[in-house]
C-alpha cells in the first residue's frame, strides 16, 4: 500500500455537494462496525450518530469556519474542520477513512491544516477537544506536538446529535499546540 504522503492528495474547501459524502466518512470513522476497521473508533463508548447533514452544512456555511475535504483519486478520504477563534484556530470534525488509517494520511492532513491556519489566519495556536478516555488518540496527538491542558468541558449527555454514551464518565479535554 502506498503511503498517504507519497500519493497525491487534494485539499479543498468542502461545499454543500459534499455533505452526504462527508457525513458517511465521519460516521464510518467513529461509529458502528465499519469504524472498527480503523483505530479511531468510538463504538465502545458511544452509539448513535457522530454528526448529521445539518451539522456538516453549518460548518460549511459558517464564515469563521472551513471544512477541509481531502481527496485522493477524486474520492473524499479525510476531512477536518478549521475554525478561527480569535488568536487561535480550532481543529475538529477530523476523520480519515478507516481503510486508510495507519498509513500516514492523518499526519498529512493535520500538518496541512496547521500550515493553512498559520498562513491564512496568522494564528499561533491550534486547539482541539478530545474525549478524555481516548488515551490512544490523545497519545497520537501528543506525538504530533499537542499538549494536554487538563482543562475539560462536559460531554453533552442527553443531546443525541453527538451520540448516545455507553458510559457516564465522558468529558472533553482541551489539547493545544503552538504553531511555529
Amino acid at each position: 500500500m502506498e503511503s498517504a504522503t507519497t500519493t497525491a492528495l487534494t485539499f479543498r474547501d468542502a461545499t454543500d455537494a459534499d455533505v452526504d459524502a462527508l457525513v458517511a466518512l465521519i460516521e464510518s470513522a467513529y461509529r458502528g462496525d465499519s469504524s472498527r476497521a480503523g483505530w479511531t473508533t468510538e463504538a465502545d463508548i458511544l452509539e448513535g450518530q457522530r454528526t448529521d447533514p445539518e451539522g456538516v452544512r453549518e460548518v460549511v456555511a459558517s464564515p469563521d469556519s472551513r471544512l477541509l475535504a481531502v481527496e485522493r483519486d477524486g474520492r473524499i478520504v479525510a476531512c477536518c474542520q478549521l475554525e478561527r477563534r480569535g488568536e487561535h484556530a480550532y481543529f475538529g470534525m477530523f476523520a480519515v477513512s478507516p481503510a486508510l488509517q495507519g498509513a500516514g494520511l492523518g499526519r498529512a492532513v493535520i500538518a496541512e491544516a496547521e500550515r493553512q491556519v498559520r498562513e491564512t489566519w496568522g494564528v499561533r495556536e491550534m486547539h482541539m477537544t478530545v474525549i478524555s478516555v481516548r488515551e490512544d488518540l490523545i497519545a497520537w496527538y501528543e506525538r504530533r506536538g499537542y499538549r494536554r491542558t487538563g482543562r475539560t468541558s462536559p460531554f453533552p449527555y442527553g443531546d443525541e446529535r453527538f451520540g448516545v454514551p455507553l458510559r457516564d464518565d465522558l468529558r472533553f479535554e482541551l489539547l493545544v499546540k503552538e504553531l511555529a
Side-chain angles (χ1 to χ4, degrees), residues 8-178:
L9 297 175
T10 303
F11 294 85
R12 64 173 177 80
D13 287 338
T15 67
D16 280 343
D18 299 317
V19 168
D20 290 342
L22 289 164
V23 170
L25 169 68
I26 294 163
E27 293 297 314
S28 76
Y30 291 98
R31 297 288 194 271
D33 287 337
S34 67
S35 69
R36 295 183 193 280
W39 67 274
T40 59
T41 184
E42 293 173 346
D44 295 326
I45 59 172
L46 291 159
E47 291 180 335
Q49 70 178 32
R50 173 72 192 263
T51 192
D52 54 32
E54 293 74 29
V56 172
R57 214 171 270 114
E58 264 179 43
V59 175
V60 169
S62 170
D64 293 322
S65 196
R66 300 171 59 198
L67 188 53
L68 205 56
V70 184
E71 291 180 329
R72 178 190 288 162
D73 301 325
R75 193 171 65 89
I76 297 176
V77 295
C79 68
C80 66
Q81 171 190 8
L82 301 172
E83 184 177 319
R84 188 175 192 168
R85 294 185 177 175
E87 297 297 308
H88 71 272
Y90 178 80
F91 179 85
M93 215 177 271
F94 185 32
V96 173
S97 172
L100 300 175
Q101 290 179 17
L105 181 56
R107 277 191 301 277
V109 172
I110 201 166
E112 177 64 12
E114 291 166 358
R115 186 193 70 75
Q116 286 197 21
V117 299
R118 206 174 41 246
E119 290 182 9
T120 307
W121 294 331
V123 296
R124 312 298 287 159
E125 278 187 350
M126 184 82 91
H127 291 198
M128 68 173 71
T129 54
V130 179
I131 296 174
S132 60
V133 298
R134 301 289 319 278
E135 293 293 338
D136 54 343
L137 186 58
I138 290 171
W140 187 85
Y141 285 122
E142 287 180 313
R143 290 192 299 274
R144 312 270 104 50
Y146 287 81
R147 63 178 172 75
R148 298 182 86 154
T149 63
R151 299 198 326 244
T152 61
S153 54
F155 186 85
Y157 284 93
D159 188 343
E160 293 191 3
R161 291 177 306 159
F162 300 99
V164 179
L166 299 177
R167 43 194 293 179
D168 63 5
D169 61 344
L170 302 181
R171 63 188 187 285
F172 294 106
E173 182 171 351
L174 175 66
L175 304 183
V176 174
K177 180 177 181 177
E178 305 282 330

